[in-house]
């Protein structure tokens, strides 16, 4: 599946021993791990450590059931349509060089609205309800904000919002 | 979820790819190398070497000679310094073979260094930045607040590791606990892998944010040289935090998993 959507050199390895062997003499950008390999705790632990060497993606039929989900860079639904995976992967594979946010720093009106709410301490769900958009849209806006500004954490975004007079200082929690 | 893609990175994680350091050459640190040359090759190793109790003034002594003199486990010293020096260095099996006490002891020293040196000095530099203010100083106050909160958070994290994580690791090595189940021990010490990993990510992400806010968005109502000093220091601080996290993930966690594997999974 991945071969269809990524224009890159792809190497298949079977199991952690082969993978370890390959990594000893090669560097890689991303590693895709089939959920079949995640059943064994030992193998799973190796993948967690790999995040220091490459982006790690878990491939799953049911992403909800992937163990220790937050230890991968992203979980990919094997059944997701191809056109949705491409931007996700491109985004991930290029994000690492954009620590400072290089995509043009002007926030759209909507992004500014979302930023204000984030700075005021609201959760994604609360923001979605207040702005009449889906939670997924909020997440997508937040991703763009972070990518444009180069600021990831809520406290960082709050300082940015006050510096730019988007929210008054006394409203910081 | 609408699109069937679980994009966890945004909410919880940041992407930390091993970026290649400009100062870094890929020469490994070896027993025969002169200790002075190690420092010339990568001066960021200075505090790492200090944590082993090594002080400067070693003349032409080699790494091996200095370690022998100080009673330091040479192989462990090499693995730690090489892990700092080269981000792709990853001798997994060897790392698992060290006694965890060795690693915990090293990490404790790192914590002391953070508390007594890095955090304190950074606070002073932030204060100096404020003192150098000309004109509107309100914005600089935001930086001070941000840093104070950050400092508290990091201190809490260090304390948490010292009171829960490290004792948990040590407990696994004690014979009196051999009969207990992992679950019991984890509950007893309040340890969880996921919470542990998440805290690390957060500590590093905030440091990156602080740097970016100063570099990109803070109006320069301060003395430039004073601000540069703070920034140099923050870059250095961030590197050390990242390396610290890598050491725990690459060395301590595998050793921990090895220990855990000898315990029954269920009560």
């Amino acid at each position: 599946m991945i071969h269809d959507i990524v224009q890159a050199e792809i190497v298949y390895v079977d199991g952690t021993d082969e993978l370890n062997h390959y990594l000893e003499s090669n560097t890689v950008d991303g590693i895709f791990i089939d959920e079949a390999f995640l059943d064994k705790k030992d193998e799973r632990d190796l993948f967690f450590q790999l995040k220091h060497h490459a982006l790690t993606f878990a491939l799953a039929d049911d992403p909800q059931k992937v163990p220790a989900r937050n230890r991968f860079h992203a979980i990919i639904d094997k059944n997701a349509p191809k056109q949705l995976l491409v931007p996700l992967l491109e985004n991930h594979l290029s994000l690492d060089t954009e620590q400072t946010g290089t995509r043009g720093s002007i926030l759209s009106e909507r992004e500014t609205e979302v930023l204000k709410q984030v700075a005021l301490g609201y959760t994604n769900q609360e923001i979605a309800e207040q702005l009449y958009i889906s939670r997924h849209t909020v997440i997508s806006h937040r991703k763009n904000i972070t990518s444009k500004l180069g600021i990831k954490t809520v406290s960082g975004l709050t300082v940015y919002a006050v510096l730019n007079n988007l929210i008054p200082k006394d409203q910081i929690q | 979820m609408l699109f069937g893609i679980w994009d966890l990175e945004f909410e919880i994680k940041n992407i930390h790819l091993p970026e290649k350091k400009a100062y870094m050459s890929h020469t490994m640190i070896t027993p025969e190398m002169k200790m002075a040359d190690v420092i010339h090759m990568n001066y960021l190793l200075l505090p790492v070497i200090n944590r082993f109790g090594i002080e400067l003034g070693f003349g032409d002594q080699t790494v091996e000679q200095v370690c022998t003199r100080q009673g330091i486990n040479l192989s462990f010293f090499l693995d730690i310094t090489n892990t700092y020096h080269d981000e792709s260095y990853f001798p997994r099996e060897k790392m698992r073979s060290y006694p965890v006490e060795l690693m915990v002891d090293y990490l404790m020293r790192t914590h002391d260094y953070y508390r007594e040196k890095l955090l304190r000095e950074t606070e002073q530099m932030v204060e100096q930045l404020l003192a150098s203010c000309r004109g509107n100083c309100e914005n600089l106050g935001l930086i001070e607040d941000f840093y104070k909160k950050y400092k508290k958070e990091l201190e809490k994290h260090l304390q948490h590791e010292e009171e829960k994580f490290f004792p948990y690791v040590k407990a696994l090595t004690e014979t009196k606990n051999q009969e207990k189940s992992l679950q019991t021990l984890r509950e007893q010490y309040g340890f969880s892998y996921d919470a542990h990993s998440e805290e690390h990510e957060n500590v590093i992400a905030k440091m990156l944010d602080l740097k970016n806010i100063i570099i990109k968005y803070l109006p320069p109502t301060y003395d430039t040289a004073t601000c540069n000093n703070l920034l140099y220091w923050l870059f250095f601080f961030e590197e050390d935090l990242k390396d610290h996290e890598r050491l725990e993930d690459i060395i301590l966690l595998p050793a921990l998993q090895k220990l855990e594997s000898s315990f029954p999974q269920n009560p």
Side-chain angles (χ1 to χ4, degrees), chain A residues 70 77 100 142-143 149 153, chain B residues 4 9-10 13 209 216-217:
Chain A
N70 67 354
D77 188 336
T100 57
R142 287 186 63 164
K143 207 179 164 81
L149 300 181
T153 65
Chain B
E9 168 269 321
F10 179 73
K13 318 215 54 139
D209 282 357
K216 294 178 75 179
Y217 305 112

Side-chain angles (χ1 to χ4, degrees), chain B residues 77-90:
Chain B
F77 177 86
L78 289 172
D79 278 340
I80 295 279
T81 45
N82 276 314
T83 305
Y84 266 86
H85 177 60
D86 178 353
E87 297 196 356
S88 60
Y89 185 73
F90 188 40

Side-chain angles (χ1 to χ4, degrees), chain B residues 143-154:
Chain B
I143 299 295
E144 191 187 25
D145 292 346
F146 185 96
Y147 179 71
K148 278 191 175 154
K149 272 189 213 153
Y150 179 79
K151 182 169 176 259
K152 264 194 202 141
E153 240 177 75
L154 183 56

Side-chain angles (χ1 to χ4, degrees), chain B residues 169-186:
Chain B
V169 177
K170 280 194 171 159
L172 293 177
T173 64
E174 290 166 5
T175 40
K176 65 171 187 193
N177 290 321
Q178 292 300 317
E179 298 304 311
K180 293 183 184 167
S181 79
L182 270 188
Q183 206 181 335
T184 315
L185 281 169
R186 281 188 188 174

Side-chain angles (χ1 to χ4, degrees), chain A residues 27-137:
Chain A
T27 55
V28 298
D29 296 318
I31 298 171
F32 297 89
I33 301 132
D34 192 276
E35 60 185 336
F37 287 103
L38 298 176
D39 287 343
K40 277 167 69 186
K41 193 174 170 305
D42 260 11
E43 309 221 325
R44 215 160 70 211
D45 293 334
L46 171 69
F47 294 131
F48 296 154
Q49 289 157 18
L50 288 172
K51 73 171 185 190
H52 296 288
H53 299 264
L55 296 171
T56 51
F57 304 97
L59 301 170
D61 271 322
D62 182 354
Q64 292 286 15
K65 289 190 181 152
V66 173
R69 294 159 22 119
N70 67 354
R71 306 201 64 184
F72 293 95
H73 287 112
I75 312 289
I76 296 172
D77 188 336
K78 282 184 187 169
N79 310 309
K82 207 165 109 178
Q83 62 270 32
L84 287 174
L85 289 178
V86 176
L88 173 96
L89 293 177
E90 281 178 353
N91 200 357
H92 274 290
L93 291 171
S94 62
L95 230 169
D96 63 289
T97 54
E98 295 185 12
Q99 289 203 332
T100 57
T102 51
R103 297 189 183 182
S105 56
I106 300 160
L107 296 183
S108 73
E109 228 169 276
R110 204 51 159 173
E111 284 160 2
T112 308
E113 276 312 305
V114 173
L115 171 62
K116 280 187 200 171
Q117 305 282 331
V118 172
L120 291 171
Y122 292 108
T123 64
N124 287 343
Q125 190 58 44
E126 288 166 339
I127 298 170
E129 281 161 19
Q130 282 176 32
L131 300 181
Y132 302 103
I133 50 181
S134 75
R135 193 174 155 276
H136 186 273
T137 310

